[in-house]
Amino acid sequence: MVEHDSERLDAVFQALADPTRRAMLRSLAERERSVGELAEPFHMTLAAASKHIKALERAGLVQRTVLGRTHLCRLDAHPLHGGFEWLRHYERFWNRSLDRLEALLRAEDRAQRPAVPAASPPSPKPRRKPRE
């Protein structure tokens, strides 16, 4: 099971590594699109677009439905969850590292501040003699 998950995660990251495929996924997040609609913004052939879509399908990110000669693609974002969880591990790592760095910098700032003498209590005001 772990090997299958690892292979799926590899496929997700390979699919996301290409800017054209990321743009296709953004487009599919809006609505279902045909292969031709996905190819159009990139001025690529249907065959070239189909290769990108196949990489997205291998990762499980796109589901394709064939209606006659039209191939419709829709986003399946579920596999992105595995990538998100993998990245969360490193988010926790960086948060801990940045928290330690912040603590060190604050301690350094405190050590470099000149000592401020304690404020002495105010001296009492002289009392006036009452007028007679």
Side-chain angles (χ1 to χ4, degrees):
M1 181 75 175
V2 172
E3 189 172 313
H4 174 72
D5 290 343
S6 177
E7 289 172 9
R8 177 56 62 100
L9 188 58
D10 289 348
V12 167
F13 282 123
Q14 286 172 353
L16 295 175
D18 185 274
T20 300
R21 291 192 286 267
R22 289 193 306 270
M24 286 179 168
L25 286 178
R26 273 192 299 276
S27 177
L28 290 172
E30 296 171 6
R31 66 176 175 83
E32 187 174 78
R33 298 190 188 270
S34 69
V35 173
E37 289 174 310
L38 290 171
E40 183 183 346
F42 307 102
H43 308 290
M44 65 174 59
T45 65
L46 294 179
S50 190
K51 285 182 181 182
H52 284 290
I53 293 165
K54 284 179 186 173
L56 294 168
E57 286 177 310
R58 277 192 301 276
L61 295 167
V62 167
Q63 303 295 317
R64 190 187 316 216
T65 305
V66 180
L67 300 172
R69 292 176 43 162
T70 304
H71 291 224
L72 291 176
C73 300
R74 67 179 170 80
L75 174 66
D76 180 354
H78 183 74
L80 291 173
H81 182 72
F84 175 73
E85 287 301 314
W86 187 85
L87 289 170
R88 280 186 54 144
H89 168 78
Y90 294 97
E91 177 187 25
R92 288 188 295 271
F93 165 79
W94 282 111
N95 283 338
R96 284 191 306 266
S97 297
L98 291 171
D99 288 345
R100 285 193 301 269
L101 177 61
E102 181 182 24
L104 288 170
L105 291 172
R106 287 182 189 273
E108 187 177 281
D109 283 348
R110 283 191 300 272
Q112 290 180 354
R113 275 192 219 132
V116 177
S120 56
S123 57
K125 291 183 181 179
R127 292 187 184 193
R128 291 186 178 181
K129 289 185 182 180
R131 290 190 183 182
E132 295 181 19

